[in-house]
Amino acid sequence: MKADIVLAGVGGQGILSIATVLGAAALKAGLFIKQAEVHGMSQRGGDVQSCLRISSNPIASDLIRSGSADLIVSLEPMEALRYLPLLRKGGWIVTGTTPVVNIDNYPAMEEVTATLNGFGNTVAADFDAVARDVASPRSANMALLGAASRFIEGITPEQIEEAIAIIFAAKGEAIIESNIKAFRAGRQVAADTVAAN
């Protein structure tokens, strides 16, 4: 089992929380993990990216080579596009559709959407709305993780939910429940998207 995952977004979206939950779930599943992070200036909407490598065998490097990522997971659509060169043929993109316009030359959303949809293996949804419908928009990152989890072998949804409970334990039961509801709703979004294609 091997999964090379690029997690991307804008500071404050909870991308590194996704990495933390996935890492905890992978350890619970008895897998090896390596992680590398790049933090932008979150208070200014800077980009945040994390390479997360999960495997049933020991991992030598925490970096993902060009053309070898299995999955790009992003809450911000342009950030998903930024890392397309890392994605392998047949890999998946799971991305939010709500832009965070933090630069003057942000491309037109029609352009971004057309590029993402033209790729093929893409699950694109408004994960803020998905989370808001079942819990809280602050759980959008867990809804995104739920959708992405459909494409990660070797880790069960139950193991991810257990990791969510552990990672958010200090914030109380209501926050844990909110994040698990969002996670489950995100999994359903991915299932519906794949079934429709």
Side-chain angles (χ1 to χ4, degrees):
M1 177 272 151
K2 175 194 80 71
D4 286 348
I5 305 166
V6 177
L7 302 170
V10 171
Q13 289 187 310
I15 293 302
L16 299 181
S17 293
I18 293 175
T20 303
V21 169
L22 268 179
L27 290 175
K28 193 157 202 55
L31 300 170
F32 294 91
I33 62 166
K34 290 263 186 187
Q35 180 183 358
E37 298 173 1
V38 175
H39 302 262
M41 293 183 64
S42 59
Q43 70 273 27
R44 295 194 182 173
D47 67 313
V48 176
Q49 179 259 338
S50 179
C51 290
L52 186 62
R53 305 190 70 208
I54 303 170
S55 177
S56 50
N57 298 312
I59 304 164
S61 171
D62 54 10
L63 298 177
I64 296 173
R65 288 189 336 267
S66 180
S68 66
D70 301 296
L71 183 60
I72 293 175
V73 181
S74 179
L75 260 176
E76 208 291 326
M78 192 186 74
E79 291 300 321
L81 291 181
R82 184 191 305 266
Y83 296 101
L84 273 181
L86 293 179
L87 195 63
R88 69 169 172 80
K89 187 174 181 180
W92 279 86
I93 300 167
V94 179
T95 184
T97 55
T98 306
V100 177
V101 182
N102 55 2
I103 55 173
D104 292 337
N105 60 345
Y106 194 100
M109 268 313 291
E110 297 78 21
E111 211 177 292
V112 174
T113 303
T115 303
L116 288 169
N117 291 340
F119 184 77
N121 290 349
T122 302
V123 174
D126 183 346
F127 288 104
D128 293 325
V130 170
R132 188 183 319 110
D133 288 348
V134 297
S136 158
R138 291 180 58 94
S139 302
N141 60 337
M142 291 300 112
L144 178 70
L145 173 57
S149 71
R150 288 264 177 192
F151 310 103
I152 302 171
E153 296 178 13
I155 303 174
T156 67
E158 294 76 21
Q159 287 166 330
I160 295 175
E161 289 185 15
E162 286 175 37
I164 290 170
I166 291 165
I167 299 304
F168 292 101
K171 296 190 176 190
E173 284 299 317
I175 299 297
I176 293 170
E177 187 58 31
S178 175
N179 281 304
I180 288 175
K181 280 182 181 176
F183 172 79
R184 290 175 180 169
R187 276 189 65 82
Q188 190 59 52
V189 166
D192 294 345
T193 301
V194 170
N197 293 330

